[in-house]
Amino acid sequence: TSELELNTSRSTGGLLVGRIPGLYATQSTGEPGADAVSLSLRGGSPLIMIDGTPQSFGALNPEQIESITFMKDAVSTAMLGMRAFNGVLYITTKKGTNDKQKVNFRYQTGFQTPLQLPKTLDAYNYAMLYNEARQNDNQAPTYSAEALQAYRTGSDPFSYPNVNWYDEILEKRSSFSRYDLSLSGGSNKADYFVNLDFLDQGGLFKTSDENSYSTNADFKRYGFRSNANVAVSKILTAGINLGAQIQNGNEPGGTVPTIFTNMLSTPRNAYP
């Protein structure tokens, strides 16, 4: 658990990247709420087992995990049959202990920023190379010498614009915060572990105050987990494990992939 808590990935899959030999991880998007990491072994997805039952582990946070065992050989996965053909990630969540009540609170905050964005040509170089391409095809140039001069000097930004669409649409960074509260304890007869978690992940899109609703891509998650065990007799113990989550995701109506595609394909001189 102490090693997993060193990372700040939203998804449990992101916590395992680079930590287990043979496990391949991919992340197809950085959109809040959709940035889960896909795991694969031998070309397929490993079976996820949480406390003995197949589950999705996307909502588990590091503070809920006691241990993770990666089983990929035939002997260790034989009891699970064909479902375990691509290996098994066996996750055990925390339980209470025969000790005084403990309260742990963890708060994380920070910023997320793109590692790299495409570098686009300015309006002058785009127009100049566009003319050159047409001349190579024995066609008349699209932009006149006066237009090229206006693009180069920026003398008429309305008629001859030079707009960096990434700067106009995206913020430099977005916020990220997590609140996690855990309670645990117990005695010889009963023990308990309770965890409450709140995640708030902001988006990168600039928004207008004129809108009565959010047009950004953001994500909020409320999580709950409770593990309790009771000693019914000297040889029998009864336990109940509960897990729940509420997710609120928001996305622009045009969808995030479409907006990024348009930013990449729209020249700087298309519109003022």
Side-chain angles (χ1 to χ4, degrees):
T1 305
S2 59
E3 293 184 15
L4 296 178
E5 291 177 352
L6 296 176
N7 288 2
T8 56
S9 174
R10 183 194 69 82
S11 65
T12 308
L15 301 174
L16 303 178
V17 173
R19 296 182 179 273
I20 301 176
L23 188 65
Y24 183 72
T26 57
Q27 185 181 30
S28 60
T29 175
E31 179 184 350
D35 55 350
V37 175
S38 300
L39 304 176
S40 66
L41 177 71
R42 306 187 186 112
S45 300
L47 177 65
I48 309 298
M49 300 283 288
I50 301 178
D51 292 333
T53 60
Q55 298 182 38
S56 170
F57 68 160
L60 282 175
N61 60 61
E63 290 78 12
Q64 296 177 357
I65 298 175
E66 179 67 32
S67 65
I68 298 179
T69 303
F70 189 31
M71 302 181 293
K72 55 183 178 179
D73 60 274
V75 175
S76 62
T77 61
M79 293 183 63
L80 297 173
M82 290 300 296
R83 294 185 302 174
F85 177 77
N86 294 316
V88 179
L89 271 176
Y90 194 98
I91 300 175
T92 302
T93 59
K94 289 182 178 180
K95 305 293 190 296
T97 57
N98 183 8
D99 201 351
K100 295 180 180 180
Q101 185 182 71
K102 294 182 180 180
V103 179
N104 293 315
F105 178 74
R106 181 180 175 90
Y107 170 61
Q108 294 178 324
T109 185
F111 298 98
Q112 293 179 306
T113 183
L115 290 176
Q116 185 176 2
L117 290 173
K119 296 180 180 179
T120 58
L121 288 173
D122 58 24
Y124 169 73
N125 284 285
Y126 172 82
M128 182 180 64
L129 291 175
Y130 196 94
N131 280 352
E132 181 179 322
R134 289 182 60 85
Q135 290 172 355
N136 290 339
D137 290 336
N138 296 320
Q139 298 178 3
T142 299
Y143 301 99
S144 64
E146 292 77 11
L148 292 175
Q149 178 67 8
Y151 285 133
R152 189 177 66 83
T153 61
S155 58
D156 188 355
F158 187 80
S159 299
Y160 301 95
N162 180 27
V163 182
N164 186 326
W165 296 109
Y166 286 92
D167 289 345
E168 292 294 324
I169 295 175
L170 300 180
E171 302 280 2
K172 297 298 183 182
R173 62 188 62 86
S174 63
S175 61
F176 175 93
S177 59
R178 265 195 64 215
Y179 303 83
D180 187 272
L181 176 65
S182 297
L183 296 90
S184 62
S187 64
N188 293 328
K189 295 183 178 181
D191 59 66
Y192 61 91
F193 171 80
V194 179
N195 179 268
L196 301 173
D197 184 77
F198 172 67
L199 170 74
D200 187 0
Q201 192 175 10
L204 283 172
F205 292 124
K206 293 182 178 180
T207 59
S208 172
D209 295 335
E210 298 178 359
N211 295 325
S212 60
Y213 54 89
S214 173
T215 57
N216 205 344
D218 49 46
F219 179 78
K220 291 181 175 61
R221 186 188 71 201
Y222 306 83
F224 167 78
R225 180 165 291 274
S226 174
N227 297 336
N229 296 287
V230 178
V232 180
S233 66
K234 292 183 178 180
I235 60 172
L236 180 63
T237 300
I240 181 171
N241 299 340
L242 300 177
Q245 63 170 314
I246 298 175
Q247 296 185 165
N248 293 325
N250 196 72
E251 183 184 35
T255 74
V256 172
T258 301
I259 293 175
F260 269 85
T261 299
N262 290 339
M263 281 193 292
L264 182 63
S265 61
T266 304
R268 290 195 181 190
N269 65 342
Y271 312 100

